């Protein structure tokens, strides 16, 4: 937090005046862009009240389209993370195995599914389910979306797990071995519980990525998610496409901001009680799906080390 | 509910293992099928259970639309209601299911709906997978433009203009191939998006079946008009399972009655009268080619 | 396999993927750096804008952003992105440019956050020394901090680049015929060889992303500031 102020001196009278000048110029530029957008929207009638009215006058838009869509979005994201977590743990631990062939297999799986776009995984999951299973059609989209997300997120979480375990001080392993614990005991009793605490913020951040990626299902697989509800709203209320998009985007942003904030809060909280085993917050750069959890540590400004 | 979800999770995990390891075994574990009436046809099901599951459009004004208050309306929906009633099923016994364009054959093949009434064009490719009864109406491909616009009177006038259609439909390409070589094509996911473009003047026209266009024109009075020069003829039918011959006859009889009693005309007027530029055909098709 | 690649112009589609990635990467780097500069600048309005922008765009699904460029910018506001309206390829060019715009708007937030965390790795003393020499904010940032920050974030930026490469597939939602755009046709007409089709696309992306990671990983090690 203190970082920015290091870059410039506390402004004196001259600098203050200059900053005011910059502020004014900047606001003028932003204002001009905003004014252009709003006037164009007004001209095309997109800001007319009738286009927005359905969202506030209790027309049932929320209960009929938006909330069911939101529910599907949340179900898909939650299922994906819940299934991906254990799979990711297995893959992550496998990558730390003492046997080369296990490491090689796990490594290949992880690298492969991290390299293939989620969209393509989803599309093929759908084809495979359709050709080789008798899953009911109405669940096909959900299953495909979840499968694509699981394959990708398990790979990402594998890296998170691996980094989390590696971040623990070596003394933990050594002490456990000295006590005569087996490898499984070492992992389940000593390493994993500690690693999961370090990883929690990263996992919550990954949930944001997953939530955003469910929208691919809505756009490509006609999965009836939050994004897909736009089509149903606009079919009923004429071309209030922009009003619908604004409302839907606001919902996504709100949920994701909450999750992001929660991840940051978790990290700060964990950072405070980080005295015992000094595990570093993991800043592995897992790269990202249609979303990104760049700073795996969450908030980002954890200061200098 | 809880068991259901657990089953779903299990099924996903099982299917996942299948996909990852790509081992040969087929996963026979299906979730929950909405329809257990595999033994008898839908006529028996309608008679005994007084229940039917029908696939309709949820997002097409005039054809099939789920309204915010949870009602279903549109010409195809009313036709479906009529057929259901003829089979002895009241409105309360009907379960509506959304039948999106690419999913319709699958829904029928997997017995998740008893029949589909969703502006279902009776193409030869589809006949390999599902049976049709119809056509119960014959829309033609037409153009939708801003109300008051007079320069676009037929598809030939589209040269140098911007034409909108929806993904997966071949209608726009056929305009480019047959009528206007230099038309610029734009595809969207829904027709509502086309309408926004027509509002702003980016797009000059949208194209698809004139009944669908009429639905939009009627839902937005004074804003759009159908050009009224249909240049193809589509055959719209009821889609159902290939195996259910008894149902085909029953639905055929219901549709026949629909037109003989004049109910057909009433429904057409209810849903399409007042759409600028659209003329309701004088009579329904004289005979069904498929039955 | 090669007959399929030829028949469906898979290489052309992947070439479009590469072009999308290339332009969006350069623009994201520029816009993301500007955003990072705003977020650490002494002007409160810029800081506020930078923060608001990053939080809004980072938390919106890319799919929604791309669809919105098409619906809001093109369809409603009539933005033409300097494409020739009379040209037969008007929509293809316009959609391509809109996809770059949408990808940039989204990816820049991650570039910005990477660079900002890179700025945090530069020891406080560096900036303090620079200020003591009388350098202005812009000079401190340009001459002292950013060069070191960039060197420390090559790794994370490589991850962003890989993510961007994969994210270009979302452009199929607004009709850009990149790699994912031809998927539909291939699945429909080659359903008996579906695993081959999958392998083609999977390998295509492995080929595109793996070297990026390896090469930039080496670069990251080489240029990292030893502290």
């Amino acid at each position: 937090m203190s970082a920015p102020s290091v870059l410039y001196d506390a402004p004196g009278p001259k600098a203050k005046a200059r900053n005011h000048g910059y502020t004014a110029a900047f606001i003028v530029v932003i204002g001009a862009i905003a004014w252009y957008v709003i006037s164009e929207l007004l001209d095309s009638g997109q800001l007319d009240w009738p286009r927005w009215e359905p969202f506030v006058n209790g027309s049932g838009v929320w209960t009929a389209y938006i909330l069911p869509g939101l529910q599907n979005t949340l179900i898909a994201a939650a299922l994906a993370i819940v299934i991906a977590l254990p799979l990711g743990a297995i893959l992550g631990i496998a990558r730390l195995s003492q046997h080369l062939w296990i490491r090689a297999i796990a490594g290949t799986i992880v690298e492969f599914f991290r390299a293939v776009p989620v969209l393509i995984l989803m599309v093929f999951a759908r084809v495979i389910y359709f050709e080789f299973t008798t899953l009911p059609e109405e669940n096909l989209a959900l299953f495909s979306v979840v499968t694509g997300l699981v394959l990708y997120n398990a790979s990402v979480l594998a890296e998170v797990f691996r980094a989390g375990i590696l971040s623990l001080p070596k003394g933990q392993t050594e002490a456990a071995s000295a006590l005569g614990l087996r490898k499984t005991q070492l992992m389940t009793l000593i390493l994993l519980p500690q690693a999961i605490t370090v990883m929690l913020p990263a996992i919550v951040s990954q949930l944001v990525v997953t939530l955003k990626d469910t929208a691919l299902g809505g756009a490509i697989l006609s999965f009836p998610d939050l994004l897909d509800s736009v089509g149903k709203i606009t079919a009923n209320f004429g071309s209030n496409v922009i009003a619908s998009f604004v409302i839907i985007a606001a919902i996504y942003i709100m949920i994701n901001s909450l999750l992001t904030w929660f991840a940051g809060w978790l990290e700060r909280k964990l950072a405070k009680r980080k005295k015992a085993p000094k595990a570093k917050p993991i800043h592995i750069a897992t790269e990202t799906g249609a979303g990104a959890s760049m700073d795996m540590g969450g908030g980002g400004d954890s200061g200098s080390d | 509910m809880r068991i259901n979800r657990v089953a779903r999770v299990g099924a996903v995990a099982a299917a996942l293992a299948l996909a990852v390891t790509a081992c040969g075994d087929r996963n026979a574990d299906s979730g929950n099928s909405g329809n257990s009436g595999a033994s008898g046809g839908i006529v028996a099901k309608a008679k005994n259970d007084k229940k039917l599951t029908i696939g309709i459009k949820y997002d097409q004004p005039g054809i099939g639309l789920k309204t915010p208050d949870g009602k279903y309306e549109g010409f195809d929906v009313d036709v479906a209601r009529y057929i259901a009633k003829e089979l002895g099923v009241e409105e309360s016994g009907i379960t509506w299911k959304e039948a999106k364009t690419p999913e319709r054959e699958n829904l029928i093949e997997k017995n998740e709906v008893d029949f589909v009434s969703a502006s279902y064009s009776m193409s030869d490719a589809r006949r390999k997978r599902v049976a049709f009864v119809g056509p119960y109406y014959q829309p033609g491909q037409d153009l939708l433009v801003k109300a008051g616009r007079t320069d676009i009177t037929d598809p030939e006038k589209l040269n140098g203009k911007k034409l909108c259609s929806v993904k997966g439909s071949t209608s726009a390409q056929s305009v480019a191939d047959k009528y206007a070589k230099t038309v610029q094509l734009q595809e969207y996911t829904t027709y509502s998006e086309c309408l926004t473009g027509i509002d702003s003047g980016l797009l000059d026209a949208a194209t698809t079946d004139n009944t669908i266009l009429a639905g939009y024109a009627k839902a937005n009075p004074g804003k759009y008009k159908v050009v009224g020069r249909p240049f193809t003829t589509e055959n719209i039918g009821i889609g159902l399972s290939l195996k259910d011959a008894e149902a085909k006859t029953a639905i055929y009889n219901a549709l026949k009655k629909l037109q003989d009693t004049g109910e057909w005309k009433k429904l057409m007027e209810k849903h399409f009268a007042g759409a600028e530029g659209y003329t309701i055909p004088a009579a329904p098709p004289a005979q069904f080619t498929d039955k | 396999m090669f007959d399929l690649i030829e028949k469906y112009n898979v290489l052309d589609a992947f070439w479009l993927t590469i072009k999308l990635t290339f332009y969006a990467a350069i623009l994201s780097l520029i816009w993301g750096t500007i955003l990072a500069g705003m977020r650490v600048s002494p002007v409160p309005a810029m800081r506020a804008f930078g923060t608001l922008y990053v939080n809004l765009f980072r938390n919106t699904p890319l799919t929604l952003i791309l669809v919105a460029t098409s619906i809001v910018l093109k369809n409603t506001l009539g933005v033409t992105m300097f494409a020739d309206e009379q040209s037969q390829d008007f929509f293809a060019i316009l959609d391509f440019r809109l996809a770059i715009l949408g990808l940039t708007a989204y990816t820049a937030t991650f570039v910005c956050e990477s660079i900002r965390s890179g700025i945090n790795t530069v020891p406080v003393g560096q900036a303090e020394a620079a200020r003591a020499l009388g350098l202005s904010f812009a000079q401190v940032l340009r001459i002292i901090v950013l060069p070191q920050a960039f060197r420390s974030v090559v790794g994370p930026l490589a991850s962003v680049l890989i993510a961007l490469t994969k994210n270009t597939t979302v452009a199929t939602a607004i009709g850009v015929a990149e790699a994912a755009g031809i998927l539909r046709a291939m699945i429909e007409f080659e359903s008996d060889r579906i695993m081959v089709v999958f392998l083609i696309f999977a390998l295509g992306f492995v080929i595109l992303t793996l070297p990026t990671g390896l090469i930039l990983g080496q670069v990251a090690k080489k240029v990292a500031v030893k502290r």
Side-chain angles (χ1 to χ4, degrees):
Chain A
M1 281 302 154
S2 60
S5 57
V6 170
L7 296 172
Y8 46 88
D9 295 305
K14 229 172 149 185
K16 261 187 189 150
R18 206 171 50 226
N19 283 351
H20 285 313
Y22 287 142
T23 308
F26 185 71
I27 289 176
V28 166
V29 172
I30 297 291
I33 296 173
W35 180 80
Y36 167 75
V37 171
I38 290 174
S39 66
E40 287 284 318
L41 286 174
L42 276 175
D43 283 352
S44 59
Q46 285 296 330
L47 298 183
D48 294 354
W49 181 239
R51 294 183 198 261
W52 295 78
E53 201 183 1
F55 294 102
V56 289
N57 69 356
S59 63
V61 166
W62 290 88
T63 46
Y65 313 118
I66 298 179
L67 294 181
L70 179 61
Q71 190 189 358
N72 280 333
T73 291
L74 295 178
I75 287 178
L79 270 181
I81 280 290
V82 166
I83 301 171
L85 267 177
L87 280 179
I90 294 168
L91 282 173
I93 294 167
R95 285 200 83 173
L96 294 170
S97 161
Q98 288 168 348
H99 307 286
L100 177 69
W101 63 274
I102 295 183
R103 281 206 307 275
I105 292 176
T108 312
I109 293 176
V110 167
E111 292 303 330
F112 180 80
F113 285 112
R114 282 206 321 168
V116 182
V118 190
L119 171 67
I120 288 184
L121 292 178
M122 285 182 187
V123 170
F124 278 96
R126 185 184 175 98
V127 178
I128 286 171
Y129 283 138
F130 178 70
E131 299 277 337
F132 300 110
T133 70
T134 52
L135 292 171
E137 179 72 19
E138 60 179 325
N139 290 345
L140 216 56
L142 174 71
F143 277 59
S144 318
V145 168
V146 171
T147 306
L149 290 175
V150 164
L151 293 176
Y152 172 67
N153 283 298
S155 308
V156 171
L157 289 174
E159 291 301 274
V160 174
F161 270 94
R162 190 168 74 127
I165 292 168
L166 284 179
S167 76
L168 297 173
K170 227 177 160 135
Q172 298 282 324
T173 311
E174 289 164 355
S177 313
L179 288 174
L181 294 185
R182 290 165 194 280
K183 270 192 284 182
T184 333
Q185 286 174 313
L186 162 68
M187 194 53 84
T188 53
L189 294 177
I190 310 291
L191 296 182
L192 268 187
Q194 298 184 65
I196 285 181
T197 332
V198 190
M199 290 164 8
L200 265 181
I203 292 172
V204 179
S205 300
Q206 199 55 32
L207 192 56
V208 175
V209 178
T210 311
L211 201 90
K212 287 191 289 181
D213 282 353
T214 56
L216 287 172
I220 312 288
L221 298 181
S222 56
F223 173 53
D225 73 340
L226 187 56
L227 186 59
D228 189 64
S229 63
V230 171
K232 284 167 190 149
I233 299 170
T234 52
N236 273 283
F237 298 101
S239 41
N240 63 343
V241 180
I242 289 181
S244 314
F245 268 115
V246 168
I247 302 280
I248 298 298
I251 298 175
Y252 276 115
I253 291 172
M254 236 153 51
I255 296 173
N256 287 331
S257 299
L258 269 179
L259 283 172
T260 308
W261 171 85
F262 180 60
W265 177 84
L266 263 181
E267 188 182 14
R268 278 190 300 275
K269 197 170 163 73
L270 294 172
K272 268 184 206 152
R273 45 164 266 202
K274 216 167 45 188
K275 280 172 198 137
K278 188 150 189 348
K280 280 187 186 179
I282 25 178
H283 276 282
I284 58 158
T286 53
E287 105 290 354
T288 50
S293 53
M294 270 313 309
D295 40 350
M296 293 303 294
D301 19 37
S302 44
S304 51
D305 2 320
Chain B
M1 222 18 220
R2 188 174 297 157
I3 293 167
N4 193 356
R5 198 155 297 161
V6 171
R8 247 189 251 167
V9 174
V12 170
L16 189 82
L18 179 90
V20 171
T21 57
C23 64
D25 259 356
R26 288 208 171 181
N27 183 9
D29 172 29
S30 75
N32 52 329
S33 173
N35 236 319
S36 53
S39 50
I42 61 174
V43 177
K45 181 185 167 190
K47 210 169 170 183
N48 301 332
D49 303 351
K50 300 280 173 216
K51 279 196 178 94
L52 279 176
T53 308
I54 305 174
I56 53 166
K57 292 267 183 199
Y58 274 14
D59 55 1
Q60 212 100 91
I63 309 287
L65 185 71
K66 183 182 177 187
T67 63
D69 46 6
K71 291 204 184 81
Y72 302 89
E73 54 188 46
F75 180 75
D76 279 344
V77 178
D78 278 342
V79 169
R81 281 197 185 104
Y82 190 89
I83 295 172
K85 199 161 177 230
E86 288 300 307
L87 295 176
V89 177
E90 290 300 320
E91 167 93 40
S92 56
I94 301 176
T95 310
W96 300 106
K97 226 176 218 188
E98 183 170 19
K100 292 190 175 182
T101 301
E103 292 170 359
R104 291 177 295 197
E105 288 88 9
N106 299 350
L107 285 169
I108 295 171
E109 279 184 334
K110 293 185 177 175
N111 283 324
E112 285 167 49
V113 294
D114 294 311
F115 63 86
V116 165
S117 170
S119 61
Y120 207 175
S121 186
M122 304 161 56
S123 72
D124 286 337
R126 287 175 185 150
R127 276 203 182 88
K128 287 179 194 148
R129 296 177 58 190
V130 299
F132 284 106
V133 184
Y136 59 96
Y137 66 106
Q138 292 177 302
Q141 194 182 339
D142 207 330
L143 303 170
L144 187 80
V145 295
K146 227 180 202 164
R149 198 162 170 171
T150 50
D151 57 331
I152 299 175
T153 49
D154 53 58
E156 277 93 359
K157 296 275 166 40
L158 283 172
N159 273 317
K161 297 278 194 298
K162 300 188 181 74
L163 176 67
C164 185
S165 72
V166 162
K167 276 193 196 97
S169 96
T170 51
S171 42
Q173 195 55 49
S174 70
V175 170
D177 293 345
K178 283 185 207 151
Y179 301 101
K181 291 270 178 291
T182 61
V183 65
Q184 295 177 28
L185 302 181
Q186 175 70 22
E187 284 194 339
Y188 281 116
T189 327
T190 67
Y191 288 107
S192 308
E193 291 165 7
C194 288
L195 298 188
T196 316
I198 291 179
D199 285 346
S200 73
L202 174 85
L203 300 164
D204 297 293
T207 185
T208 184
D209 294 354
N210 55 5
T211 40
I212 294 176
L213 298 176
Y216 283 106
K218 186 168 175 169
N220 302 277
K223 282 184 74 179
Y224 314 105
K225 68 164 188 185
V226 182
V227 167
R229 277 281 313 274
F231 44 93
T232 63
T233 308
E234 308 291 328
N235 291 315
I236 303 296
I238 302 287
L240 69 162
S241 166
L242 279 171
K243 291 170 198 144
D244 201 343
E246 189 191 7
K248 272 186 89 170
T249 320
I251 291 175
Y252 171 78
N253 290 335
L255 288 178
K256 190 95 181 40
K257 193 170 166 196
L258 178 76
Q259 19 172 301
D260 292 346
T261 54
E263 188 67 16
W264 185 88
K265 185 111 214 234
K266 271 191 214 151
L267 289 182
M268 281 302 264
E269 272 162 6
K270 176 179 166 197
H271 294 291
F272 302 116
E276 191 182 345
Y278 178 73
T279 342
I280 291 168
Q287 60 186 26
F288 299 120
T289 48
D290 279 38
K291 55 178 175 178
Chain C
M1 185 163 175
F2 292 104
D3 58 314
L4 284 184
I5 293 177
E6 208 160 289
K7 188 170 162 198
Y8 291 94
N9 295 323
V10 174
L11 293 182
D12 287 354
F14 270 103
W15 178 235
L16 205 54
T17 299
I18 294 171
K19 281 202 287 188
L20 273 179
T21 311
F22 178 77
Y23 291 120
I26 290 179
L27 293 174
S28 305
L29 193 61
I30 296 170
W31 180 221
T33 310
I34 294 174
L35 280 173
M38 282 189 192
R39 289 201 72 174
V40 296
S41 85
V43 183
M46 288 187 180
R47 281 205 302 274
F49 173 81
T51 311
L52 184 72
Y53 179 92
V54 168
N55 283 328
L56 285 185
F57 279 81
R58 195 172 55 161
N59 285 321
T60 312
L62 175 63
T63 321
L64 199 151
I65 293 176
L66 280 177
V67 174
T69 61
S70 176
I71 304 293
V72 180
L73 292 182
K74 176 176 73 175
N75 224 341
T76 310
L77 300 184
V79 173
T80 53
M81 305 285 290
F82 309 109
D84 176 14
E85 276 208 56
Q86 296 314 312
S87 155
Q88 195 68 134
D89 299 329
F90 171 62
F91 282 122
I93 294 168
L94 178 52
D95 289 340
F96 176 72
R97 291 181 184 170
L98 284 171
I100 292 174
L101 184 71
L103 285 165
T104 302
Y106 180 78
T107 312
T109 63
F110 298 101
V111 172
C112 166
E113 292 306 273
S114 303
I115 292 177
R116 216 161 61 95
S117 71
I119 290 175
N120 281 333
T121 64
V122 179
V124 179
Q126 297 268 336
E128 282 170 350
R131 277 166 53 209
L133 289 175
L135 269 63
S136 70
F137 166 73
Q139 286 171 318
V140 173
L141 205 59
R142 202 181 70 236
I143 305 172
I144 311 292
V145 176
L146 273 186
Q148 300 184 56
F150 269 116
R151 287 169 65 179
S152 69
V153 295
V154 171
L157 285 182
S159 304
V160 175
L161 179 60
I162 290 172
L164 171 64
T165 311
K166 298 192 297 170
N167 282 345
T168 55
T169 51
V170 184
T172 192
I174 60 169
V176 179
E178 40 63 59
I182 56 169
L183 202 61
R184 194 185 297 264
M186 288 185 79
I187 286 175
E188 196 172 333
F189 298 115
E190 306 292 339
S191 54
D192 47 336
R193 287 204 281 171
I194 205 71
M195 286 324 281
V196 181
V197 175
F198 176 68
L199 272 183
I200 291 176
F201 282 95
L203 282 182
F205 277 95
V206 171
I207 290 169
L208 283 184
T209 56
L210 218 53
T212 316
L214 289 177
I215 295 171
L216 288 180
Q218 287 303 314
V219 173
K221 263 186 209 151
K222 209 159 199 174
V223 300
V225 186
K226 307 275 182 310
R227 294 211 165 92

